[in-house]
């Protein structure tokens, strides 16, 4: 009897803690958080893979053959994981958010179908050529295959972000009654596909993906170089990753600044949440913010934070040049997003962005001095920083998505109205737990594959790998040599 009652008690406890709306939001948020890691891997790795393939075919040297082979395998693993983690999201529209699917189906159905038929299959077909066709197709065809795989990855991001950008700044539609329900009817496909948010979101997301992968390439390369200093291929990969960071990291900061002004114009509530700006008026820019109490962590406001701020700069950024410009505060709205998550996520993302610029400049200086592979301190830092690009990408995504709440379609449909009316808390919570467990397992599988590829590469280079000396474990202490 105890074994029968206990699960019921636990289920009831979970159901009391999570409403259908909260559990559904958490489930979709968790699913897309995991999926976006692998999607960004494909998008960010595409230019690296194209370059390594082109150099391998053109030079026929071992270093580029090794790099091309390694990173094509990583791309393939990420592609499989991205597919597995992405498919359930389309079903969640129907199981958890059927009202959203009903209201927005005419607007989002086309881009999602294009993503599957135009981008996914293009990527899948030519990835097969890359994996198994080196000796079976011509050099020109092989290079073209790498380009088409990259185009497929970037097209996939394009169509998915069309959907999300429309949810942020919807246009090109009208609301009509259909079967007793008000739904969105497509009136202008061009306006609906190319909303004001689309170019900002696409450039920022693609560049963030490239930064994330550049840090991953740099981290893996740094570890292999640290183990074998004369590994020519991995010295080349490390140098290339640093050079790409030198371009993309500052670009992200400049573009992000302009993107912030666009957000202030189109989603002032989200902008106010990013700055924890409650009272309408001049807005300061909090460069640093520290909570004075536990309450300040969960509900950050000007009076309960210790900040290092620039007076009026928030208004300057929002308006594009006026330090005294009025910025709407959160008190103007009846419902607000979870301000703490948006506020702290934004600061975490921006802080990491400046860290990446610093790492890029450090690496560029070492390249200039000809000591990139000699600096143990730099190699150790890049190994530690290898996952941070994904941390910045995820927190930036949280700002984008959570900052839009309470709206699932900005100004048209609230999240609470989009959730299934037949779903109860028990069902939603149980499926949430199931997704968490399964997706953690998938993450562990992906890490195991990457570990296996790195260790196999080290063995091919003649480096012995022991159980106590793994790339993902603690890096042995090194002396300061800079």
């Amino acid at each position: 009897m105890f074994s029968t009652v206990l699960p019921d008690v636990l289920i009831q406890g979970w159901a009391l803690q999570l409403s259908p709306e909260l559990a559904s939001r958490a489930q979709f948020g968790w699913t897309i958080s995991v999926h976006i890691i692998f999607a960004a891997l494909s998008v960010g790795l595409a230019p690296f893979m194209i370059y390594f393939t082109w150099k391998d075919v053109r030079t026929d040297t071992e270093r580029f053959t090794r790099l091309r082979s390694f990173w094509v395998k990583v791309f393939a693993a990420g592609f499989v994981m991205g597919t597995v983690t992405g498919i359930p999201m389309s079903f969640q529209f129907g199981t958890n958010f059927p009202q959203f699917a009903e209201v927005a189906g005419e607007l989002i159905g086309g881009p999602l179908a294009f993503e599957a038929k135009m981008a996914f299959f293009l990527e899948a077909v030519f990835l097969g050529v890359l994996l198994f066709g080196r000796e079976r197709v011509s050099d020109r065809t092989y290079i073209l295959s790498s380009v088409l795989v990259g185009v497929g990855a970037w097209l996939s991001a394009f169509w998915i972000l069309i959907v999300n950008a429309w949810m942020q700044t919807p246009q090109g539609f009208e609301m009509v009654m259909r079967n007793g329900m008000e739904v969105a009817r497509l009136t202008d496909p061009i306006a609906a596909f190319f909303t004001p948010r689309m170019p900002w979101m696409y450039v920022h997301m693609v560049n963030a993906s490239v930064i994330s992968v550049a840090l991953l390439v740099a981290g893996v390369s740094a570890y292999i170089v640290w183990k074998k200093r004369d590994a020519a291929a991995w010295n080349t990969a490390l140098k290339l990753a640093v050079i790409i960071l030198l371009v993309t990291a500052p670009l992200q900061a400049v573009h992000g600044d302009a993107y912030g002004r666009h957000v202030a114009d189109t989603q002032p509530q989200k902008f106010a949440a990013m700055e924890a700006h409650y009272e309408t008026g001049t807005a300061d820019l909090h460069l640093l913010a520290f909570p004075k109490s536990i309450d300040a962590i969960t509900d950050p406001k000007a009076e309960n934070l210790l900040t290092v701020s620039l007076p009026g700069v928030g208004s300057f950024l929002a308006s594009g040049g006026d330090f005294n410009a009025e910025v709407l505060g959160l008190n103007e709205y009846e419902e607000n997003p979870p301000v703490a998550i948006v506020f702290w996520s934004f600061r975490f993302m921006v802080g990491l962005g400046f860290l990446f610029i610093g790492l890029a400049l450090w690496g560029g200086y070492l390249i200039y001095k000809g000591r990139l592979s000699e600096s143990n301190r730099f190699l150790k830092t890049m190994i530690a920083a290898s996952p941070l690009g994904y941390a910045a990408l995820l927190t930036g995504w949280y700002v984008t998505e959570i900052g839009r709440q309470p709206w699932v379609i900005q100004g048209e449909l609230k999240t609470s109205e989009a959730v299934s009316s037949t779903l109860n808390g028990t069902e939603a919570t149980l499926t949430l737990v199931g997704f968490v467990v399964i997706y953690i397992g998938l993450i562990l599988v992906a890490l195991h594959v990457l570990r296996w590829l790195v260790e196999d590469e080290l063995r091919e280079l003649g480096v012995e790998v022991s159980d106590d000396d793994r790339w993902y474990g603690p890096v042995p202490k090194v002396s300061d040599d800079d």
Side-chain angles (χ1 to χ4, degrees), residues 16 65 71 75 82 87 138 201 247 285 315 332 367 384 386 391 410 451:
L16 289 173
T65 299
W71 290 109
F75 187 99
I87 289 175
S138 67
M201 181 173 282
V247 176
L285 177 67
S315 295
E332 301 293 330
I367 291 174
S386 57
Q410 184 71 43
R451 183 197 73 182

Side-chain angles (χ1 to χ4, degrees), residues 100 107-108 161-173 188-202 259-270 400-401 403-404 407-413:
F100 167 71
L107 275 296
I108 69 174
L161 291 177
I162 276 180
V163 172
N164 193 273
W166 180 81
M167 294 163 65
Q168 305 280 343
T169 53
Q171 64 178 32
F173 72 101
D188 186 344
I190 300 300
F193 283 8
F194 298 97
T195 63
R197 179 60 49 85
M198 177 56 196
W200 293 103
M201 181 173 282
Y202 187 73
Y259 188 2
R261 286 194 289 275
H262 168 73
V263 171
D265 291 337
T266 56
Q267 292 177 304
Q269 185 179 18
K270 179 189 292 187
T400 298
E401 295 304 291
R404 186 180 68 237
W407 301 100
V408 65
I409 303 175
Q410 184 71 43
E412 297 293 339
L413 181 68

